[in-house]
Amino acid sequence: DEGRLISQLKEGLPVVGILHESAEAYCAWLGAKTGRKVMLPTAEQWEKAARGVDGRCFPWGDGFNAEYANIYENVEARKKFGFWAPPGSFPKDISVYGIFDMGGNVREMTSSRFVDGGHFYQVKGASSSTTRRFLYCAYASDTPVAPSDVGFRYVMELEGK
């Protein structure tokens, strides 16, 4: 509440532990600053960015390998980095569009609610606190794990669109 970082966090690590409304406020601020539309991705946009056009299971393809991403089963990554790694630390955790960390490290907020009409937003991806079932690009959850493993990335409208 006073704006202090969680003790394990530092500059250069993903932003986690904020409210959905705070992520949306950041997108609005950045949009006003850049003059472009900035928003949290929908679950469909996030999944397309992670899976590509071929509908792969994981950002890198269909074969599971715990060493490719920062997930619970990657024991060496947890020993090296702790809960969060600097973005891009796992070169195989990259989508066909060149987007890093779509599989692991930090689960990510979307702007999509679940179709059952509930109040929860879909959270996509896996983290060092979650197991491989969260790693499947089609999987969505709704609850942070403690300490919070949910952050966000934004999408920005292309210029001239």
Side-chain angles (χ1 to χ4, degrees), residues 21-74:
E21 294 79 15
S22 298
E24 289 177 325
Y26 176 81
C27 290
W29 171 83
L30 185 59
K33 182 177 176 181
T34 62
R36 295 165 73 183
K37 187 174 182 180
V38 178
M39 66 211 118
L40 293 176
T42 65
E44 293 80 15
Q45 288 170 326
W46 189 99
E47 192 171 327
K48 170 72 162 128
R51 296 180 89 178
V53 296
D54 59 2
R56 52 192 55 210
C57 292
F58 310 107
W60 53 81
D62 288 329
F64 171 74
N65 188 323
E67 294 177 7
Y68 286 2
N70 192 13
I71 61 171
Y72 184 78
E73 287 90 347
N74 190 342

Side-chain angles (χ1 to χ4, degrees), residues 9 12-18 84 87 106-107 109 149-153:
L9 295 177
L13 292 178
V15 173
V16 295
I18 65 170
W84 309 282
V106 172
R107 294 189 300 140
M109 300 175 198
D149 66 330
V150 178
F152 74 101
R153 72 174 73 221

Side-chain angles (χ1 to χ4, degrees), residues 90-140:
F90 296 83
K92 300 230 178 185
D93 186 1
I94 186 169
S95 77
V96 296
Y97 299 112
I99 307 169
F100 283 97
D101 304 324
M102 297 294 292
N105 204 23
V106 172
R107 294 189 300 140
E108 299 174 3
M109 300 175 198
T110 71
S111 63
S112 299
R113 295 187 191 266
F114 284 93
V115 294
D116 65 5
H119 297 331
F120 294 106
Y121 289 94
Q122 293 183 47
V123 177
K124 302 290 279 181
S127 74
S128 66
S129 300
T130 60
T131 60
R132 105 185 240 182
R133 78 180 149 109
F134 289 76
L135 186 58
Y136 289 89
C137 294
Y139 186 82

Side-chain angles (χ1 to χ4, degrees), residues 135-157:
L135 186 58
Y136 289 89
C137 294
Y139 186 82
S141 57
D142 62 9
T143 308
V145 176
S148 180
D149 66 330
V150 178
F152 74 101
R153 72 174 73 221
Y154 58 85
V155 293
M156 182 180 286
E157 191 173 71

